[in-house]
Amino acid sequence: MLVVTCIKQVPDTTQVKVDPITGTLIREGVPFIINPFDTYALEESLRLKEKYGFHVAVISMGPPNTEVTLRKALSLGADEVILLSDRAFGGADTLATSMVLAEAIKKLGQKEEVAIVICGRQTIDGDTAQVGPGIATRLGYSQLTLVDRIENVDLKAKKIRVRRRLEGRHEIVETTLPAMIAVLREINRPRYPKVPMRLFAQDAPVTLWNNKVMGLREDTIGLKGSATQVRKIFSPQRERGEIIGDGSKNPQVAARLLIDRLKEKNLLSL
Amino acid sequence: MELNQSLIIIVFVTAIALFIWSCYRRFRLVLLGRPENRFKDTGKRIRDVLYYAFGQRCTVSHGYFFGLNHLVLFWSFMILLIANTEFMLHGLFPYVSLSRLPPGVYHALLFLFDVASVLALLAICIAIIRRLAFPPSYIEAQSRDAFIILGLIAFLMVAFFGLHASEIANSGEEARYMPVSNFAASVFFSHIPVDNLSGYINAFWWIHAIVLLSFLNYLPYSKHMHILAAIPNLFFRSLTKVNTQKREDFKKGNTFGVGQIDQFTWKDLFDSYSCTECGRCSDNCPATNTGKLLNPRLVIHDIKVNVLKNGHLIDKKKEAILPLIGGGREGSIADQVLWACTTCGACMEVCPVFIEHVPKIVDMRRNMVEMNARVPDELLALFENFEQRSNPWGIIPAERIKWAAQADVKPFEVGMTEYLFFTGCFGAFDARSRKVTVAISRILNAAGISWGILGKDELCCGDSLRRLGNEFVFDRMVRENIKLFNEKGIKKIITMCPHCYNTLKNDYRQYGMELEVIHHTALVNDLIKAGKLKLNSAKYSGNVIFHDSCYLGRYNEIYEAPREVIASVTGQRPSEMEHCFDRSFCCGAGGGRMWMEESEGKRINVARVEEAMKKEPGMICVCCPYCMTMFEDGLKGMKADNRVLVLDIAEIVANVLI
C-alpha cells in the first residue's frame, strides 16, 4: 500500500520582492525551500509508514532544480521520489497542476495500490489551497482538508478517521480509502534528517517523469491547460507610519499621546 | 627469620599474577577505542609528567588544602614503592635485599621509609577525618571504596611499623636511623621476651605481605585505579589547549559521534580510568552548581562503568547490554545531561589529570543529532534556520547589513582592504549587539585601520552548530566560508564575538585555513598601547567589574587585554568576582545553550549576576554578545538593570573617543 505525498519547491517568500516596473517576482538570488506546509505532509506520511508499514512515494512538479528538495525527502525517509518536470508543464495554474499530479498518482497506482494522498494545506507562494482538492476530484478520492490529526487507519476495512480543525471546533470525520488529506501545521513536528540518510540521499536515484513518460494532452497541462492566469503582481501601497513622542526619554508622555491618537481614530473603545 | 619459602612463593606469585591479569583484563579494553596519536613530542610529555605528577601541580594549586595532603601521600607512596618492591623481591628471592647496600646508604633509605610511612599514616588519618567530619560535596567521598582503600593503606603502615619495631627489639640494638620504628620498639616490644619476638616478626611480616597484596589486587577494581592510570594519562595529555573538536569524515558507511564506547578514542577511555573522582570538575561546573543533572565527574564515571560493563562483549563482537546514552542507571548518560553542558571548559581547566570532558560530551551530542536525530524541540527550528539562512533566528540575510546605516562602513574589497570585520550573527542582527558593532567600527575608523565587511554575504561561523553536535551542517558552513574567504583573499579577521573568534581561529585550522584572527578586545588594547586612539579617560568613577568569557579566557587565554583596556579608560583595574580568570563562571549561553530552554535548576546567568552583584558594581564589562545578553537578562530579573550598566569593552572605549 502506498502513501503519496505531494510537495512543492517554493521561493523563500519572505525574501521575495516584486519588481515594481515589470510586475513580476524578483527571484534572483532567492533560495528555494520546501513549501513549509508540505514538510508536515511529508512528516505525517513517514509516521504512517512507521505505524502501518506503508511505502512512501513523494512527487513534485517543478523545474529540474526541484531535485534538491526531493533529495531532502529521501534523507528524511521517503522510499521513492518522482520529479515531474517538463517545459510543457510550466506556467500551470492549480487546474493544470492537479491534472499532472493526479495522472502521476494514477501511474504510481499501477505498480502499487494507493491508499492515501497527503498534501500540505496550501503553498506559501500561491496560497490557493486548491491543488489537494483538485487531485482528489480528478481521482475520485474522498477529500479531507484542514486535518490536524489522523485518528486511525483501518487497512482491513479500508477506512481512515481524521480530526479536522475548524473555526472554534473540531470534527472527527471518517471516510473510505483511498483518500486525499490536506494537513495543517499543527498535525506534527517534522523530524530532522539523520546524517547517514543525508549521505545516502546525495546520490540516490530521483525518477524523472517528463511528458514523454506521462503522455498527457498538451492542452490539459501547463499554461495551455490553465484556466486562470496571473495578470499582475504588485505590492500593496501602505501608508507610512508616524513617530509620535519620544518613548525612550519619556515613556509616560508617549503612552498618553498614543492613547489619545488611538481614541481620535476610534480604535479604542474606552 | 623462619619463614616457609615455598608458601611465600605460592602466595606472592598467585597474588602478583592475579594483579597482572586484572590489569590486563581492564586496560586491554582501552584498546577498543579508536586510534589517536598521543606520542608526539615525547620530551615535552616527560617534562610535563615530572612537573604535573611529581610536582603535583594541579592537586596543590588553587587553594585546595587537601591537595597538600595528597602531595604528602603521593611522595610517601613513591618512596614506599621502593620499600615494597624490595619487600616483595626479597620475599621471592631472599638474596635480593637493600641490606646488601653500604650501611650508610641502607640506613638512609630505612630512615626515609620510616618517615614516609609515618607521613602517609598521618595523611590517611587526615583524609579519613575529612571524610567523616567535613565531607566534600560529592557522595562518593564517603563511599565504601574510599574507606576500604584508606583503611588498607593505614593497616599497611601499621604493619610496617610492627614489623620493623619487632625486628629492632629482636636485634637488641637501638636503631636511631628509624626513629618511629625505634620508638615503637621501645614502647610495645621492650617487655616481650626475646624468644617470643620471632613470632611477632613472622606475624607482622605476613600481615604486611597480605595487606600489600590485597591492596594491589583491589586497585584495578576501585576508583583508585587512578594510582595506576593517572601518570600515564598525564603523559598522554593534549599538549595544546582543548578548544576545538575533532573533524568528522562524512563518507557513506561511517558512524558519526559516539553512541557506544568503541567509538571513543582510546585516550577518551583511558581518561575514564584515570579519574580519581576528586570532584574538582563538578565543583567548578556551572551546570552542576545550578542544579542541573549534568555532573562532569559522573559523565566520566559513567563512561568507565560502561566500558567495564560492555567492553568484554564489544570485544567479542557481541551486542552491548548497557546503552552509553539514555540514562536511567549507572553507566548510561541521560540526554538532558549532555544537553546541559555550556562547553565552558571549567572542568578541564581544573582536572588534575587532564581529562578532556567537553570533547566527549560533544561527541555524544553528535551521536544524538547525527545518527539518531534526537534533539530537543527548540533545536529543530534552530538547525533549519542555520541551514537555510545561515543565522540562528532565520532572519533574511539582507538584514545583516542593517547596522551599517548607523556607521561609516565600507565593504571588504579584494586586494584593497586589509582586515575583514566579521560581525557575526549577533553583531549583525541583535539590536543590543549592533551597538557594540557600531562602537567597534568607530574605533577602527578612529585608528585609521583598513577594514571592511562582507555585509549580506557574511555567513554564520558555525560555532553553535559544532558545539551542539551538528557537525554535518557545521562542515558545510566551514567549506562555504572558506570558499568565500579565499575568493576575497581574506587573511586577517577582526571578530566581535569570542565564539566566532575561537571558531575561525581554532576550528577552521583543521581545514587548512590559517587566518590571523583578532578579537576586538586584543585589538583595542593594542591600539591604545600604540597610542593610536585618543581617549578622554577617567570619565568613570564607579565600581567596574569584568566578566571573563569562557571562549576568550579559558579557550584562548586572553585575560589581560580586556582588563588593561578597562584600566586605560577608567584609570583603575576592574574589581574581580570570586570566579575570575581561568576560574571564571560561564554566563550560561555557550555550547549552544543560548538557544535552548533552561528549565532545570537555577538559571546559570542568574547565579553569575548574583555573584557579580556582591561586588556592588556600577558597571559590568563584557566582551561577548552572549555574555551581554545573559547579564542584561539576569539584571532585569533582579530588577537591577536601572542601577547597573552592562557594556562591552568596545563601547566603553568608543564612549570616550575624542
Side-chain angles (χ1 to χ4, degrees), chain B residues 565-586:
Chain B
V565 172
I566 293 171
S568 314
V569 173
T570 65
Q572 53 175 359
R573 270 178 76 89
S575 328
E576 300 295 350
M577 287 185 262
E578 186 192 337
H579 292 92
C580 53
F581 293 93
D582 56 347
R583 293 296 183 276
S584 182
F585 193 86
C586 180

Side-chain angles (χ1 to χ4, degrees), chain B residues 435-633:
Chain B
K435 293 181 182 169
V436 181
T437 314
V438 171
I440 294 173
S441 68
R442 285 184 54 209
I443 295 171
L444 296 177
N445 286 336
I449 286 174
S450 156
W451 66 284
I453 58 168
L454 289 170
K456 66 176 175 45
D457 295 332
E458 187 181 293
L459 300 166
C460 174
C461 68
D463 165 71
S464 286
L465 282 168
R466 187 162 231 205
R467 316 304 152 200
L468 285 168
N470 198 337
E471 186 73 6
F472 183 78
V473 179
F474 171 78
D475 184 76
R476 284 207 314 217
M477 270 191 180
V478 178
R479 289 166 197 277
E480 281 176 45
N481 267 313
I482 286 178
K483 194 168 152 247
L484 186 66
F485 292 163
N486 284 337
E487 277 169 13
K488 301 248 177 193
I490 291 164
K491 295 263 181 274
K492 297 177 178 179
I493 301 181
I494 300 163
T495 69
M496 78 98 76
C497 170
H499 295 264
C500 300
Y501 173 74
N502 184 65
T503 303
L504 295 174
K505 185 174 174 216
N506 299 317
D507 292 334
Y508 281 38
R509 187 174 291 153
Q510 298 170 336
Y511 290 78
M513 192 75 192
E514 287 289 345
L515 295 160
E516 185 190 325
V517 191
I518 311 159
H519 186 260
H520 73 267
T521 52
L523 180 72
V524 170
N525 192 36
D526 290 347
L527 292 175
I528 293 174
K529 277 186 179 167
K532 291 199 176 153
L533 294 174
K534 282 185 189 143
L535 303 182
N536 179 7
S537 52
K539 261 192 176 174
Y540 193 80
S541 55
N543 191 17
V544 183
I545 55 174
F546 174 70
H547 163 80
D548 285 283
S549 298
C550 311
Y551 275 65
L552 201 64
R554 269 193 293 267
Y555 272 63
N556 290 292
E557 296 176 309
I558 298 176
Y559 297 112
E560 280 306 318
R563 288 178 169 80
E564 285 172 12
V565 172
I566 293 171
S568 314
V569 173
T570 65
Q572 53 175 359
R573 270 178 76 89
S575 328
E576 300 295 350
M577 287 185 262
E578 186 192 337
H579 292 92
C580 53
F581 293 93
D582 56 347
R583 293 296 183 276
S584 182
F585 193 86
C586 180
C587 70
R593 292 289 323 167
M594 182 74 211
W595 319 108
M596 299 178 76
E597 300 293 338
E598 189 180 346
S599 46
E600 220 186 322
K602 187 179 190 171
R603 297 182 71 90
I604 293 175
N605 66 327
V606 171
R608 183 56 166 166
V609 169
E610 282 172 3
E611 188 187 330
M613 290 305 280
K614 283 185 198 158
K615 292 276 160 193
E616 297 178 355
M619 177 159 81
I620 299 173
C621 276
V622 294
C623 50
C624 168
Y626 287 178
C627 301
M628 166 80 78
T629 308
M630 294 315 246
F631 267 92
E632 288 199 335
D633 282 358

Side-chain angles (χ1 to χ4, degrees), chain A residues 117-130:
Chain A
V117 173
I118 307 188
C119 302
R121 73 174 291 180
Q122 68 196 61
T123 57
I124 56 166
D125 60 346
D127 283 318
T128 62
Q130 290 172 347

Side-chain angles (χ1 to χ4, degrees), chain B residues 86 90 94-107 109-110:
Chain B
E86 191 250 9
H90 182 62
Y95 55 89
V96 179
S97 170
L98 288 175
S99 60
R100 286 168 177 269
L101 293 167
V105 179
Y106 178 53
H107 289 167
L109 280 172
L110 286 180

